[in-house]
Amino acid sequence: MYEFLDRLVAVALPRIRDFRGINEKGFDGKGNYTLGIPEQIIFPEINMDQVTKINGMDITFVTSAKTDKECLALLKEFGLPFKNQK
């Protein structure tokens, strides 16, 4: 899990076109977060020659946090780049 999270933050997310951070609206109210990825080809492990159709995916972070605020703090500490929303 930590290896996937590290690759997601350090390699995959920066490969998204016009990436400016992930949205803070993906929390479910119970301390979990879901992130939508538009293309699976942002992961370098995927061979572009074998891809016949571009698919997206949802990644859900299930935490033991009781609130969304606690979950946000945890995910920020893990290095997820959230947008600066005011």
Side-chain angles (χ1 to χ4, degrees):
M1 174 192 74
Y2 294 114
E3 183 180 334
F4 174 77
L5 182 60
D6 184 48
R7 277 194 323 240
L8 177 70
V9 171
V11 179
L13 288 178
R15 292 179 66 166
I16 296 175
R17 184 180 312 135
D18 298 330
F19 181 72
R20 301 203 193 296
I22 57 177
N23 200 340
E24 292 184 7
K25 295 182 180 180
F27 293 98
D28 67 352
K30 297 179 182 176
N32 302 310
Y33 180 75
T34 300
L35 165 68
I37 302 291
E39 303 173 330
Q40 84 271 24
I41 58 173
I42 64 170
F43 292 96
E45 297 88 2
I46 296 180
N47 187 351
M48 292 283 294
D49 297 332
Q50 296 178 345
V51 175
T52 58
K53 181 180 176 187
I54 302 295
N55 292 316
M57 68 177 75
D58 289 333
I59 300 170
T60 301
F61 296 94
V62 179
T63 69
S64 59
K66 302 293 184 209
T67 65
D68 290 345
K69 187 176 178 182
E70 290 176 4
C71 183
L72 176 63
L74 175 67
L75 294 177
K76 280 185 177 180
E77 287 296 316
F78 275 129
L80 264 69
F82 287 95
K83 291 180 184 176
N84 293 331
Q85 295 183 348
K86 299 194 183 232

